[in-house]
Amino acid sequence: MANIQQVAKQAGVSVATVSRVLNGQNTVSSKTKTKVEEAIKFLNYEPSMLGRNLRNSESRIILILIPNISNPFYLDIIKGIENMALSQGYNILLCETDSNPDKENIYFDLVRKKMADGIVSMDPAVNVDTLKELARTYAIIQCSEYGGGIGIPYVTIDSEEASYRAVKHLIQIGHTKIVLMNSDEKFLYARERKAGYQRALKEHGIALDKDYVIYTQELSFAHGQQAMKKILALQDRPTAVFAVSDLLAIGALKEINASGLHVPNDIAVVGFDKIDFSNMTNPTLTTVAQPMYKMGTTAAAMLIDKIKGREVDSVILDHELIIRESTSG
Amino acid sequence: MANIQQVAKQAGVSVATVSRVLNGQNTVSSKTKTKVEEAIKFLNYEPSMLGRNLRNSESRIILILIPNISNPFYLDIIKGIENMALSQGYNILLCETDSNPDKENIYFDLVRKKMADGIVSMDPAVNVDTLKELARTYAIIQCSEYGGGIGIPYVTIDSEEASYRAVKHLIQIGHTKIVLMNSDEKFLYARERKAGYQRALKEHGIALDKDYVIYTQELSFAHGQQAMKKILALQDRPTAVFAVSDLLAIGALKEINASGLHVPNDIAVVGFDKIDFSNMTNPTLTTVAQPMYKMGTTAAAMLIDKIKGREVDSVILDHELIIRESTSG
DNA sequence: GATAAAAATGTAATCGATTTCATTTTAATT
DNA sequence: AATTAAAATGAAATCGATTACATTTTTATC
């Protein structure tokens, strides 16, 4: 395991010159450059990032905070972040928090201890106070889910508008008894999506029925099933369900199928996120597509800007309603 | 951003003493220990891992090489690796190779450049020669998929036996016309699973029909659909399909449904891996469960042993056939 | 060929920790 | 109290790079 000293010796130059060759500085004559490159090859030398990182006070690692890797929603965002990061010489550390403050703290420590240069947070349950405190010293970007007004730049979509459009679509194909399968309103996106739901109903003169707004604890398949069971047991059965996540919607789908009813003839279903599996179900799922990959690249670019000390503004990206079998027989 | 020097000054001791307190060495008197701890708190000091890592010639990061994060198969393995790693003070860097040697090389460079202490490789398409070369110098463990006889320790299941049991199950419930939906036989697991399929057929006196072994380029939903299309077009339609991955099986399921046939009455389906979604399909999928979480923790433990210079042996874990709706009306 | 300017290279400090070895302090024993 | 052993602490080297500044070499100009 050769180091820069040995390369310098082998090439008959100083370590400074080797370093210059390593970093592509053009103040080295082509003759010495060749000598150094030969020495590097001869010794099979690989520069240690440990030394470089210490000297440069950077780790070239960025953290991605997500509640759960099992949720396919994050996949494309992660890919976006990763590709942008790689292209700029950064690597990503994927951090599953399980929405657990202790685990969260392990990862926060990584940035406190200089093992990471910044954080893209996608955890809606993140401790906002800690995040805010951390953001005073370190580079942090919120992605998809965000706390507003806490001064940390974010990239996201207009959830209210997306929700409005999804519900409007259901109304336009003739539904009036529409359930909103939402998650806990402690999350901003849940409140926004409810607002969009309400706006669509109001605009079309449909009264809000409390029984038609149902909350789930988690955005999972199992919770979707469970919620759908309750909905199917309602006195006045709705004819459509708008779930704020595809996983919930797929759970609902499964439950409706199991009860012998037909999607979309008996009950239409709309999801949210356009995860890969939303196209694999039977029937395929109508859903709101977020530009996840773009969101990822944007977040990463913003974060790297922040790391380099540049000013960064929040970004709101476009979304799109994807109409598939679950709302069109 | 305080460093160890400033803490030492503040506490009126030497940096060596501060370091000793930091590392919990018991050669420090409780009086000075308190002084140091107060200084640390007062200055809000966090030890830099950059300095520590350089001195210790370690990064405390381990790489996980997977072909594609979108494949849910890897999720529980990753969780296993991560939890074991965290418990031993290591962090994981998730590396998606896209089975692309160039991307692979980016990550190999991380270990060459000391930014990672070892690798858990789960990429079946990994360049075995490079891996072998790398394993001479660095700690590497193969997980799930492995190249045999290249001297790199692995943890996996007995694929031949698992496949044998899955096919035997189909035979026992009355099937004789059974398709094997396999992936490319350049992969060891594909060859092993085919061997198990053949053994089960042979044992029950069923002749091998070449038309009933079909190869897919990728273990994806789309390729499962595509392959199933071909199968449905066969002169003598089979009554059962054993796919070597759940994603393939779910693709097949979708295609069978779309053609108006019924699972399992017309065609039974068995998958492999027991990914989360195998329980969300309609019908739910019979599948072979690999002990993924355990595989992950085992691989991580083996890797850390290897990093610490200890001797490591390969491990073969148990598997289990999970019988669900797709083979039992 | 002398001189100045530009280019190339080297010396040594630095990043922030850990650790060996030497030294000082404390405790134990007589 | 003297002596010795044990415990606590410190000084300085070290890990492997980068870079400011100094110095040397090359090139350009007259």
PDB file of all heavy atoms in Angstrom, chain C residues 13-25:
ATOM      1  P    DA C  13       7.521  23.827   9.459  1.00  0.00           P
ATOM      2  OP1  DA C  13       8.339  24.668  10.334  1.00  0.00           O
ATOM      3  OP2  DA C  13       7.521  22.350   9.615  1.00  0.00           O
ATOM      4  O5'  DA C  13       6.017  24.343   9.537  1.00  0.00           O
ATOM      5  C5'  DA C  13       5.676  25.544   8.831  1.00  0.00           C
ATOM      6  C4'  DA C  13       4.196  25.547   8.547  1.00  0.00           C
ATOM      7  O4'  DA C  13       3.907  24.641   7.456  1.00  0.00           O
ATOM      8  C3'  DA C  13       3.316  25.077   9.718  1.00  0.00           C
ATOM      9  O3'  DA C  13       2.173  25.895   9.773  1.00  0.00           O
ATOM     10  C2'  DA C  13       2.993  23.629   9.375  1.00  0.00           C
ATOM     11  C1'  DA C  13       2.909  23.707   7.847  1.00  0.00           C
ATOM     12  N9   DA C  13       3.197  22.451   7.168  1.00  0.00           N
ATOM     13  C8   DA C  13       4.194  21.546   7.418  1.00  0.00           C
ATOM     14  N7   DA C  13       4.199  20.505   6.611  1.00  0.00           N
ATOM     15  C5   DA C  13       3.122  20.753   5.770  1.00  0.00           C
ATOM     16  C6   DA C  13       2.586  20.022   4.689  1.00  0.00           C
ATOM     17  N6   DA C  13       3.091  18.866   4.263  1.00  0.00           N
ATOM     18  N1   DA C  13       1.508  20.537   4.070  1.00  0.00           N
ATOM     19  C2   DA C  13       1.003  21.701   4.491  1.00  0.00           C
ATOM     20  N3   DA C  13       1.426  22.475   5.489  1.00  0.00           N
ATOM     21  C4   DA C  13       2.496  21.932   6.088  1.00  0.00           C
ATOM     22  P    DT C  14       1.147  25.736  10.962  1.00  0.00           P
ATOM     23  OP1  DT C  14       0.571  27.069  11.210  1.00  0.00           O
ATOM     24  OP2  DT C  14       1.795  24.955  12.042  1.00  0.00           O
ATOM     25  O5'  DT C  14      -0.005  24.821  10.324  1.00  0.00           O
ATOM     26  C5'  DT C  14      -0.674  25.230   9.135  1.00  0.00           C
ATOM     27  C4'  DT C  14      -1.609  24.140   8.701  1.00  0.00           C
ATOM     28  O4'  DT C  14      -0.857  23.090   8.060  1.00  0.00           O
ATOM     29  C3'  DT C  14      -2.367  23.465   9.845  1.00  0.00           C
ATOM     30  O3'  DT C  14      -3.729  23.802   9.740  1.00  0.00           O
ATOM     31  C2'  DT C  14      -2.137  21.976   9.651  1.00  0.00           C
ATOM     32  C1'  DT C  14      -1.559  21.893   8.253  1.00  0.00           C
ATOM     33  N1   DT C  14      -0.598  20.787   8.018  1.00  0.00           N
ATOM     34  C2   DT C  14      -0.805  19.988   6.920  1.00  0.00           C
ATOM     35  O2   DT C  14      -1.714  20.147   6.130  1.00  0.00           O
ATOM     36  N3   DT C  14       0.114  18.977   6.780  1.00  0.00           N
ATOM     37  C4   DT C  14       1.191  18.713   7.609  1.00  0.00           C
ATOM     38  O4   DT C  14       1.948  17.775   7.363  1.00  0.00           O
ATOM     39  C5   DT C  14       1.334  19.590   8.742  1.00  0.00           C
ATOM     40  C7   DT C  14       2.459  19.370   9.701  1.00  0.00           C
ATOM     41  C6   DT C  14       0.443  20.580   8.899  1.00  0.00           C
ATOM     42  P    DC C  15      -4.637  23.747  11.065  1.00  0.00           P
ATOM     43  OP1  DC C  15      -5.325  25.036  11.170  1.00  0.00           O
ATOM     44  OP2  DC C  15      -3.852  23.224  12.190  1.00  0.00           O
ATOM     45  O5'  DC C  15      -5.696  22.627  10.658  1.00  0.00           O
ATOM     46  C5'  DC C  15      -6.394  22.663   9.415  1.00  0.00           C
ATOM     47  C4'  DC C  15      -6.873  21.279   9.098  1.00  0.00           C
ATOM     48  O4'  DC C  15      -5.789  20.522   8.544  1.00  0.00           O
ATOM     49  C3'  DC C  15      -7.294  20.498  10.342  1.00  0.00           C
ATOM     50  O3'  DC C  15      -8.693  20.642  10.524  1.00  0.00           O
ATOM     51  C2'  DC C  15      -6.917  19.060  10.021  1.00  0.00           C
ATOM     52  C1'  DC C  15      -5.969  19.168   8.834  1.00  0.00           C
ATOM     53  N1   DC C  15      -4.611  18.585   9.049  1.00  0.00           N
ATOM     54  C2   DC C  15      -4.070  17.726   8.095  1.00  0.00           C
ATOM     55  O2   DC C  15      -4.737  17.468   7.092  1.00  0.00           O
ATOM     56  N3   DC C  15      -2.835  17.207   8.300  1.00  0.00           N
ATOM     57  C4   DC C  15      -2.148  17.524   9.402  1.00  0.00           C
ATOM     58  N4   DC C  15      -0.938  16.989   9.543  1.00  0.00           N
ATOM     59  C5   DC C  15      -2.689  18.408  10.387  1.00  0.00           C
ATOM     60  C6   DC C  15      -3.909  18.908  10.173  1.00  0.00           C
ATOM     61  P    DG C  16      -9.226  20.913  12.037  1.00  0.00           P
ATOM     62  OP1  DG C  16     -10.656  21.264  11.938  1.00  0.00           O
ATOM     63  OP2  DG C  16      -8.268  21.801  12.697  1.00  0.00           O
ATOM     64  O5'  DG C  16      -9.105  19.485  12.723  1.00  0.00           O
ATOM     65  C5'  DG C  16      -9.911  18.418  12.264  1.00  0.00           C
ATOM     66  C4'  DG C  16      -9.535  17.180  13.027  1.00  0.00           C
ATOM     67  O4'  DG C  16      -8.197  16.776  12.647  1.00  0.00           O
ATOM     68  C3'  DG C  16      -9.504  17.357  14.543  1.00  0.00           C
ATOM     69  O3'  DG C  16     -10.178  16.269  15.124  1.00  0.00           O
ATOM     70  C2'  DG C  16      -8.031  17.330  14.875  1.00  0.00           C
ATOM     71  C1'  DG C  16      -7.512  16.380  13.813  1.00  0.00           C
ATOM     72  N9   DG C  16      -6.090  16.474  13.543  1.00  0.00           N
ATOM     73  C8   DG C  16      -5.280  17.560  13.679  1.00  0.00           C
ATOM     74  N7   DG C  16      -4.032  17.315  13.361  1.00  0.00           N
ATOM     75  C5   DG C  16      -4.023  15.987  12.981  1.00  0.00           C
ATOM     76  C6   DG C  16      -2.961  15.165  12.540  1.00  0.00           C
ATOM     77  O6   DG C  16      -1.778  15.457  12.381  1.00  0.00           O
ATOM     78  N1   DG C  16      -3.395  13.866  12.244  1.00  0.00           N
ATOM     79  C2   DG C  16      -4.694  13.435  12.379  1.00  0.00           C
ATOM     80  N2   DG C  16      -4.927  12.161  12.053  1.00  0.00           N
ATOM     81  N3   DG C  16      -5.690  14.187  12.800  1.00  0.00           N
ATOM     82  C4   DG C  16      -5.291  15.450  13.075  1.00  0.00           C
ATOM     83  P    DA C  17     -10.622  16.341  16.654  1.00  0.00           P
ATOM     84  OP1  DA C  17     -12.053  16.098  16.658  1.00  0.00           O
ATOM     85  OP2  DA C  17     -10.061  17.538  17.277  1.00  0.00           O
ATOM     86  O5'  DA C  17      -9.798  15.119  17.296  1.00  0.00           O
ATOM     87  C5'  DA C  17     -10.287  13.837  17.319  1.00  0.00           C
ATOM     88  C4'  DA C  17      -9.329  12.854  16.637  1.00  0.00           C
ATOM     89  O4'  DA C  17      -8.294  13.568  15.959  1.00  0.00           O
ATOM     90  C3'  DA C  17      -8.591  11.924  17.578  1.00  0.00           C
ATOM     91  O3'  DA C  17      -9.418  10.789  17.793  1.00  0.00           O
ATOM     92  C2'  DA C  17      -7.363  11.533  16.776  1.00  0.00           C
ATOM     93  C1'  DA C  17      -7.188  12.707  15.790  1.00  0.00           C
ATOM     94  N9   DA C  17      -5.980  13.491  16.004  1.00  0.00           N
ATOM     95  C8   DA C  17      -5.892  14.759  16.484  1.00  0.00           C
ATOM     96  N7   DA C  17      -4.663  15.228  16.527  1.00  0.00           N
ATOM     97  C5   DA C  17      -3.896  14.186  16.041  1.00  0.00           C
ATOM     98  C6   DA C  17      -2.508  14.046  15.829  1.00  0.00           C
ATOM     99  N6   DA C  17      -1.616  15.004  16.085  1.00  0.00           N
ATOM    100  N1   DA C  17      -2.067  12.874  15.325  1.00  0.00           N
ATOM    101  C2   DA C  17      -2.960  11.915  15.054  1.00  0.00           C
ATOM    102  N3   DA C  17      -4.293  11.933  15.206  1.00  0.00           N
ATOM    103  C4   DA C  17      -4.696  13.108  15.708  1.00  0.00           C
ATOM    104  P    DT C  18      -9.111   9.807  18.983  1.00  0.00           P
ATOM    105  OP1  DT C  18     -10.170   8.794  18.972  1.00  0.00           O
ATOM    106  OP2  DT C  18      -8.832  10.601  20.194  1.00  0.00           O
ATOM    107  O5'  DT C  18      -7.736   9.125  18.541  1.00  0.00           O
ATOM    108  C5'  DT C  18      -7.745   8.154  17.528  1.00  0.00           C
ATOM    109  C4'  DT C  18      -6.384   7.502  17.445  1.00  0.00           C
ATOM    110  O4'  DT C  18      -5.364   8.524  17.290  1.00  0.00           O
ATOM    111  C3'  DT C  18      -5.984   6.682  18.675  1.00  0.00           C
ATOM    112  O3'  DT C  18      -5.391   5.495  18.195  1.00  0.00           O
ATOM    113  C2'  DT C  18      -4.971   7.583  19.394  1.00  0.00           C
ATOM    114  C1'  DT C  18      -4.330   8.303  18.218  1.00  0.00           C
ATOM    115  N1   DT C  18      -3.749   9.647  18.490  1.00  0.00           N
ATOM    116  C2   DT C  18      -2.437   9.870  18.155  1.00  0.00           C
ATOM    117  O2   DT C  18      -1.715   9.016  17.670  1.00  0.00           O
ATOM    118  N3   DT C  18      -1.985  11.144  18.408  1.00  0.00           N
ATOM    119  C4   DT C  18      -2.706  12.196  18.942  1.00  0.00           C
ATOM    120  O4   DT C  18      -2.190  13.290  19.113  1.00  0.00           O
ATOM    121  C5   DT C  18      -4.082  11.892  19.268  1.00  0.00           C
ATOM    122  C7   DT C  18      -4.947  12.954  19.862  1.00  0.00           C
ATOM    123  C6   DT C  18      -4.533  10.651  19.039  1.00  0.00           C
ATOM    124  P    DT C  19      -5.145   4.267  19.152  1.00  0.00           P
ATOM    125  OP1  DT C  19      -5.343   3.067  18.340  1.00  0.00           O
ATOM    126  OP2  DT C  19      -5.884   4.483  20.401  1.00  0.00           O
ATOM    127  O5'  DT C  19      -3.590   4.412  19.467  1.00  0.00           O
ATOM    128  C5'  DT C  19      -2.664   4.422  18.388  1.00  0.00           C
ATOM    129  C4'  DT C  19      -1.273   4.640  18.942  1.00  0.00           C
ATOM    130  O4'  DT C  19      -1.050   6.050  19.186  1.00  0.00           O
ATOM    131  C3'  DT C  19      -0.995   3.927  20.266  1.00  0.00           C
ATOM    132  O3'  DT C  19       0.319   3.415  20.215  1.00  0.00           O
ATOM    133  C2'  DT C  19      -1.082   5.048  21.288  1.00  0.00           C
ATOM    134  C1'  DT C  19      -0.496   6.196  20.465  1.00  0.00           C
ATOM    135  N1   DT C  19      -0.831   7.582  20.921  1.00  0.00           N
ATOM    136  C2   DT C  19       0.096   8.561  20.691  1.00  0.00           C
ATOM    137  O2   DT C  19       1.159   8.371  20.156  1.00  0.00           O
ATOM    138  N3   DT C  19      -0.285   9.807  21.127  1.00  0.00           N
ATOM    139  C4   DT C  19      -1.469  10.149  21.753  1.00  0.00           C
ATOM    140  O4   DT C  19      -1.689  11.294  22.099  1.00  0.00           O
ATOM    141  C5   DT C  19      -2.392   9.049  21.959  1.00  0.00           C
ATOM    142  C7   DT C  19      -3.699   9.310  22.634  1.00  0.00           C
ATOM    143  C6   DT C  19      -2.035   7.831  21.544  1.00  0.00           C
ATOM    144  P    DT C  20       0.694   2.118  21.026  1.00  0.00           P
ATOM    145  OP1  DT C  20       0.270   0.968  20.215  1.00  0.00           O
ATOM    146  OP2  DT C  20       0.234   2.267  22.414  1.00  0.00           O
ATOM    147  O5'  DT C  20       2.296   2.213  21.015  1.00  0.00           O
ATOM    148  C5'  DT C  20       2.958   2.721  19.855  1.00  0.00           C
ATOM    149  C4'  DT C  20       4.176   3.534  20.275  1.00  0.00           C
ATOM    150  O4'  DT C  20       3.758   4.861  20.682  1.00  0.00           O
ATOM    151  C3'  DT C  20       4.934   2.932  21.459  1.00  0.00           C
ATOM    152  O3'  DT C  20       6.329   3.012  21.184  1.00  0.00           O
ATOM    153  C2'  DT C  20       4.532   3.827  22.642  1.00  0.00           C
ATOM    154  C1'  DT C  20       4.330   5.164  21.932  1.00  0.00           C
ATOM    155  N1   DT C  20       3.390   6.124  22.587  1.00  0.00           N
ATOM    156  C2   DT C  20       3.723   7.466  22.627  1.00  0.00           C
ATOM    157  O2   DT C  20       4.753   7.906  22.163  1.00  0.00           O
ATOM    158  N3   DT C  20       2.795   8.266  23.241  1.00  0.00           N
ATOM    159  C4   DT C  20       1.586   7.878  23.795  1.00  0.00           C
ATOM    160  O4   DT C  20       0.840   8.698  24.309  1.00  0.00           O
ATOM    161  C5   DT C  20       1.301   6.465  23.718  1.00  0.00           C
ATOM    162  C7   DT C  20       0.032   5.946  24.320  1.00  0.00           C
ATOM    163  C6   DT C  20       2.195   5.654  23.130  1.00  0.00           C
ATOM    164  P    DC C  21       7.361   2.100  22.050  1.00  0.00           P
ATOM    165  OP1  DC C  21       8.247   1.428  21.075  1.00  0.00           O
ATOM    166  OP2  DC C  21       6.620   1.316  23.054  1.00  0.00           O
ATOM    167  O5'  DC C  21       8.213   3.203  22.814  1.00  0.00           O
ATOM    168  C5'  DC C  21       8.472   4.462  22.183  1.00  0.00           C
ATOM    169  C4'  DC C  21       8.686   5.522  23.240  1.00  0.00           C
ATOM    170  O4'  DC C  21       7.412   6.070  23.664  1.00  0.00           O
ATOM    171  C3'  DC C  21       9.376   5.027  24.525  1.00  0.00           C
ATOM    172  O3'  DC C  21      10.495   5.855  24.768  1.00  0.00           O
ATOM    173  C2'  DC C  21       8.305   5.120  25.597  1.00  0.00           C
ATOM    174  C1'  DC C  21       7.459   6.286  25.062  1.00  0.00           C
ATOM    175  N1   DC C  21       6.062   6.332  25.543  1.00  0.00           N
ATOM    176  C2   DC C  21       5.491   7.582  25.822  1.00  0.00           C
ATOM    177  O2   DC C  21       6.162   8.610  25.649  1.00  0.00           O
ATOM    178  N3   DC C  21       4.206   7.631  26.267  1.00  0.00           N
ATOM    179  C4   DC C  21       3.515   6.506  26.446  1.00  0.00           C
ATOM    180  N4   DC C  21       2.247   6.609  26.882  1.00  0.00           N
ATOM    181  C5   DC C  21       4.073   5.221  26.165  1.00  0.00           C
ATOM    182  C6   DC C  21       5.335   5.185  25.721  1.00  0.00           C
ATOM    183  P    DA C  22      11.434   5.642  26.061  1.00  0.00           P
ATOM    184  OP1  DA C  22      12.835   5.618  25.587  1.00  0.00           O
ATOM    185  OP2  DA C  22      10.873   4.537  26.884  1.00  0.00           O
ATOM    186  O5'  DA C  22      11.190   7.019  26.828  1.00  0.00           O
ATOM    187  C5'  DA C  22      11.174   8.233  26.074  1.00  0.00           C
ATOM    188  C4'  DA C  22      10.757   9.366  26.992  1.00  0.00           C
ATOM    189  O4'  DA C  22       9.331   9.259  27.257  1.00  0.00           O
ATOM    190  C3'  DA C  22      11.447   9.364  28.361  1.00  0.00           C
ATOM    191  O3'  DA C  22      11.790  10.695  28.692  1.00  0.00           O
ATOM    192  C2'  DA C  22      10.411   8.754  29.290  1.00  0.00           C
ATOM    193  C1'  DA C  22       9.105   9.243  28.658  1.00  0.00           C
ATOM    194  N9   DA C  22       7.942   8.377  28.888  1.00  0.00           N
ATOM    195  C8   DA C  22       7.871   7.015  28.717  1.00  0.00           C
ATOM    196  N7   DA C  22       6.689   6.513  28.997  1.00  0.00           N
ATOM    197  C5   DA C  22       5.943   7.626  29.368  1.00  0.00           C
ATOM    198  C6   DA C  22       4.607   7.763  29.777  1.00  0.00           C
ATOM    199  N6   DA C  22       3.743   6.737  29.879  1.00  0.00           N
ATOM    200  N1   DA C  22       4.155   9.002  30.078  1.00  0.00           N
ATOM    201  C2   DA C  22       5.018  10.027  29.968  1.00  0.00           C
ATOM    202  N3   DA C  22       6.301  10.031  29.591  1.00  0.00           N
ATOM    203  C4   DA C  22       6.699   8.781  29.300  1.00  0.00           C
ATOM    204  P    DT C  23      12.547  11.037  30.050  1.00  0.00           P
ATOM    205  OP1  DT C  23      13.492  12.143  29.741  1.00  0.00           O
ATOM    206  OP2  DT C  23      13.024   9.777  30.662  1.00  0.00           O
ATOM    207  O5'  DT C  23      11.398  11.627  30.960  1.00  0.00           O
ATOM    208  C5'  DT C  23      10.594  12.708  30.463  1.00  0.00           C
ATOM    209  C4'  DT C  23       9.480  12.965  31.442  1.00  0.00           C
ATOM    210  O4'  DT C  23       8.553  11.849  31.396  1.00  0.00           O
ATOM    211  C3'  DT C  23       9.932  13.092  32.894  1.00  0.00           C
ATOM    212  O3'  DT C  23       9.457  14.318  33.395  1.00  0.00           O
ATOM    213  C2'  DT C  23       9.296  11.898  33.591  1.00  0.00           C
ATOM    214  C1'  DT C  23       8.077  11.638  32.711  1.00  0.00           C
ATOM    215  N1   DT C  23       7.520  10.258  32.758  1.00  0.00           N
ATOM    216  C2   DT C  23       6.181  10.102  33.050  1.00  0.00           C
ATOM    217  O2   DT C  23       5.437  11.030  33.276  1.00  0.00           O
ATOM    218  N3   DT C  23       5.742   8.799  33.061  1.00  0.00           N
ATOM    219  C4   DT C  23       6.498   7.669  32.820  1.00  0.00           C
ATOM    220  O4   DT C  23       5.981   6.561  32.863  1.00  0.00           O
ATOM    221  C5   DT C  23       7.878   7.895  32.524  1.00  0.00           C
ATOM    222  C7   DT C  23       8.795   6.738  32.249  1.00  0.00           C
ATOM    223  C6   DT C  23       8.337   9.166  32.511  1.00  0.00           C
ATOM    224  P    DT C  24       9.978  14.864  34.803  1.00  0.00           P
ATOM    225  OP1  DT C  24      10.429  16.263  34.574  1.00  0.00           O
ATOM    226  OP2  DT C  24      10.884  13.869  35.423  1.00  0.00           O
ATOM    227  O5'  DT C  24       8.635  14.932  35.643  1.00  0.00           O
ATOM    228  C5'  DT C  24       7.471  15.536  35.054  1.00  0.00           C
ATOM    229  C4'  DT C  24       6.253  14.985  35.747  1.00  0.00           C
ATOM    230  O4'  DT C  24       6.163  13.569  35.505  1.00  0.00           O
ATOM    231  C3'  DT C  24       6.259  15.168  37.271  1.00  0.00           C
ATOM    232  O3'  DT C  24       5.113  15.903  37.631  1.00  0.00           O
ATOM    233  C2'  DT C  24       6.263  13.745  37.816  1.00  0.00           C
ATOM    234  C1'  DT C  24       5.633  12.967  36.659  1.00  0.00           C
ATOM    235  N1   DT C  24       5.962  11.523  36.596  1.00  0.00           N
ATOM    236  C2   DT C  24       4.934  10.614  36.693  1.00  0.00           C
ATOM    237  O2   DT C  24       3.781  10.930  36.849  1.00  0.00           O
ATOM    238  N3   DT C  24       5.316   9.300  36.601  1.00  0.00           N
ATOM    239  C4   DT C  24       6.610   8.815  36.419  1.00  0.00           C
ATOM    240  O4   DT C  24       6.829   7.605  36.351  1.00  0.00           O
ATOM    241  C5   DT C  24       7.625   9.816  36.324  1.00  0.00           C
ATOM    242  C7   DT C  24       9.050   9.394  36.128  1.00  0.00           C
ATOM    243  C6   DT C  24       7.276  11.118  36.411  1.00  0.00           C
ATOM    244  P    DT C  25       4.919  16.461  39.091  1.00  0.00           P
ATOM    245  OP1  DT C  25       4.294  17.797  38.982  1.00  0.00           O
ATOM    246  OP2  DT C  25       6.185  16.252  39.840  1.00  0.00           O
ATOM    247  O5'  DT C  25       3.833  15.457  39.669  1.00  0.00           O
ATOM    248  C5'  DT C  25       2.593  15.317  38.987  1.00  0.00           C
ATOM    249  C4'  DT C  25       1.881  14.115  39.546  1.00  0.00           C
ATOM    250  O4'  DT C  25       2.624  12.912  39.244  1.00  0.00           O
ATOM    251  C3'  DT C  25       1.673  14.130  41.056  1.00  0.00           C
ATOM    252  O3'  DT C  25       0.291  14.096  41.305  1.00  0.00           O
ATOM    253  C2'  DT C  25       2.416  12.896  41.562  1.00  0.00           C
ATOM    254  C1'  DT C  25       2.449  12.006  40.309  1.00  0.00           C
ATOM    255  N1   DT C  25       3.570  11.026  40.230  1.00  0.00           N
ATOM    256  C2   DT C  25       3.266   9.685  40.143  1.00  0.00           C
ATOM    257  O2   DT C  25       2.145   9.246  40.149  1.00  0.00           O
ATOM    258  N3   DT C  25       4.363   8.857  40.050  1.00  0.00           N
ATOM    259  C4   DT C  25       5.702   9.243  40.036  1.00  0.00           C
ATOM    260  O4   DT C  25       6.587   8.405  39.956  1.00  0.00           O
ATOM    261  C5   DT C  25       5.941  10.657  40.119  1.00  0.00           C
ATOM    262  C7   DT C  25       7.334  11.171  40.126  1.00  0.00           C
ATOM    263  C6   DT C  25       4.880  11.487  40.228  1.00  0.00           C
TER     264       DT C  25
END
